[in-house]
């Protein structure tokens, strides 16, 4: 009987040790299950505050900003924090995008390896101050410096080259110089000048941008972070709207709403595929 009791005691002790070891994991699982999904409402105009601490580039040493602006929280800083939480992907579907702070946040995410896709309105992306062209240029420049000393960037088969698309028709803007053909080795493509076999040896990641070509506006104003968090509301991503307008932004974790907005984004993304665009009016082609 004694050996049997001893064996039972050993088994019981082992079971207790195993239970104690797994208990923290069980508690974490229960906490995640019980954690309330994110629900946040931001109202604008936002108080003007310093956002430099949020917008430090990778590798920058933490340092206090000596500027005279308040360093507290604001609606803009909370919006920036929600964006900068992205780790894998960011989808932006925006009518107007000219805020320098929000533009810097998107650039930082790209530098961290987050996949960024942007859908925007053709008319407004061509205006002075728009962040769209700057994002394209910054993405190319950063990739160029990131691979300095290596082979030249090129456009791989599964990535879209920059092309003039609808700017040649209704979206031409006098302050923009738009090439009529894409020179894959020109500075407009990748900030480098390369030819020959070198230009076919390296994949170049970019911030991908697509826009409309029809008569109506692409008037959406939403973002999706890591396919989990939806950011949407009345706010155009412009300094005017952020600092002066009465606006609202909802930040929410809701699988159903995120799914619906992702479906809309993917539908528009495919609809705005540049290969579907018509570059010249039908009458001119008939001549």
């Amino acid at each position: 009987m004694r050996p049997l009791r001893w064996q039972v005691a050993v088994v019981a002790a082992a079971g207790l040790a195993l239970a104690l070891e797994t208990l923290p994991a069980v508690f974490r699982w229960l906490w995640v299950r019980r954690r309330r999904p994110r629900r946040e409402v931001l109202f604008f105009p936002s108080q003007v505050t310093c956002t430099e601490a949020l917008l430090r580039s990778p590798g920058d040493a933490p340092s206090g900003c000596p500027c005279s602006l308040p360093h507290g929280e604001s609606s803009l800083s909370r919006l920036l924090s929600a964006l900068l939480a992205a780790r894998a992907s960011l989808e932006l579907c925006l009518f107007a995008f000219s805020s320098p702070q929000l533009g810097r946040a998107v650039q930082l995410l790209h530098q961290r390896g987050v996949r960024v896709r942007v859908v925007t309105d053709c008319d407004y992306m061509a205006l002075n101050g728009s962040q769209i062209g700057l994002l394209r240029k910054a993405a190319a420049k950063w990739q160029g410096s990131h691979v300095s000393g290596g082979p030249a960037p090129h456009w791989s088969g599964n990535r879209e080259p920059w092309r003039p698309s609808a700017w040649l028709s209704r979206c031409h803007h006098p302050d923009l110089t738009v090439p009529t053909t894409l020179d894959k080795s020109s500075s407009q493509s990748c900030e480098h000048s390369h030819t020959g076999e070198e230009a076919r040896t390296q994949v170049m990641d970019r911030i991908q941008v697509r826009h409309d070509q029809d008569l109506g506006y692409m008037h959406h104003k939403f973002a999706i972070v890591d396919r989990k968090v939806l950011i949407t509301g009345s706010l155009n991503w412009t300094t005017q709207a952020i600092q002066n307008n009465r606006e609202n932004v909802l930040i929410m974790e809701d699988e159903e709403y995120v799914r619906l907005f992702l479906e809309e984004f993917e539908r528009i993304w495919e609809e705005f595929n540049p290969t579907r665009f018509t570059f010249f009016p039908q009458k001119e082609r008939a001549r």
Side-chain angles (χ1 to χ4, degrees):
M1 293 294 292
R2 288 183 179 178
L4 182 60
R5 290 179 181 176
W6 181 80
Q7 291 175 359
V8 170
V10 169
V11 171
L16 180 61
L18 182 61
L20 290 174
E21 185 177 347
T22 59
L23 199 58
V26 172
F27 277 126
R28 283 195 298 270
W29 180 79
L30 289 173
W31 174 256
V32 170
R33 294 276 295 182
R34 293 183 59 184
R35 183 179 68 86
R36 294 178 62 184
R38 184 172 185 175
R39 297 282 192 275
E40 191 171 359
V41 181
L42 308 180
F43 292 107
F44 294 81
S46 174
Q47 179 187 7
V48 177
T49 59
C50 178
T51 57
E52 287 304 307
L54 291 171
L55 297 173
R56 283 195 298 265
S57 297
D60 286 356
S63 60
C65 178
C67 75
S68 60
L69 292 175
H71 286 69
E73 194 176 65
S74 65
S75 292
L76 175 58
S77 69
R78 289 163 66 187
L79 177 57
L80 287 169
S81 296
L83 282 177
L84 291 169
R87 294 294 178 266
S89 64
L90 176 67
E91 279 77 36
L92 299 175
C93 197
L94 301 170
F95 174 60
F97 188 5
S98 62
S99 166
Q101 291 96 332
L102 292 170
R104 284 177 61 190
V106 175
Q107 292 181 38
L108 283 174
L109 291 174
H110 176 261
Q111 293 177 24
R112 294 172 185 172
V114 174
R115 183 196 185 197
V116 179
R117 294 186 294 167
V118 182
V119 167
T120 190
D121 182 78
C122 183
D123 284 335
Y124 275 77
M125 69 182 285
L127 296 180
N128 287 335
S130 173
Q131 290 291 307
I132 301 301
L134 296 177
L135 291 178
R136 276 175 163 159
K137 184 177 180 180
K141 180 179 289 187
W142 182 80
Q143 286 292 336
S145 63
H146 183 65
V147 298
S148 59
H154 86 290
W155 309 106
S156 67
N158 64 343
R159 299 181 188 276
E160 303 162 14
W162 190 92
R163 46 172 65 83
S165 63
W167 278 344
L168 294 178
S169 53
R170 80 175 177 92
C171 290
H172 177 70
H173 191 272
D175 293 324
L176 289 176
T177 301
V178 181
T180 55
T181 59
L182 176 66
D183 179 358
K184 293 183 181 180
S185 64
S186 71
S187 60
Q188 292 161 333
S189 328
C190 60
E191 305 263 330
H192 292 74
S193 178
H194 302 282
T195 56
E197 187 62 29
E198 280 188 346
R200 293 188 291 274
T201 57
Q202 182 175 346
V203 173
M204 180 177 177
D205 287 326
R206 298 177 304 116
I207 295 176
Q208 295 178 300
V209 179
R210 292 185 180 181
H211 57 78
D212 59 318
Q213 197 193 24
D214 53 36
L215 296 177
Y217 288 120
M218 204 305 298
H219 210 244
H220 281 315
K221 308 167 186 73
F222 68 83
I224 303 170
V225 177
D226 289 340
R227 308 177 74 87
K228 296 178 181 178
V229 178
L230 172 65
I231 302 173
T232 188
S234 67
L235 182 76
N236 280 315
W237 288 23
T238 66
T239 301
Q240 161 68 27
I242 292 169
Q243 294 186 0
N244 298 293
N245 292 359
R246 302 289 178 182
E247 308 279 2
N248 66 80
V249 168
L250 303 177
I251 303 174
M252 65 180 76
E253 287 180 87
D254 186 293
E255 291 184 6
E256 182 63 17
Y257 283 119
V258 169
R259 181 185 66 80
L260 292 172
F261 275 82
L262 267 174
E263 288 177 356
E264 173 68 358
F265 183 91
E266 297 296 349
R267 185 189 67 79
I268 297 174
W269 185 257
E270 182 57 32
E271 181 183 337
F272 291 177
N273 190 325
T275 61
R276 300 172 179 267
F277 285 179
T278 301
F279 298 119
F280 302 101
Q282 200 73 22
K283 292 182 179 179
E284 289 193 13
R285 280 196 283 175
R287 290 180 182 178

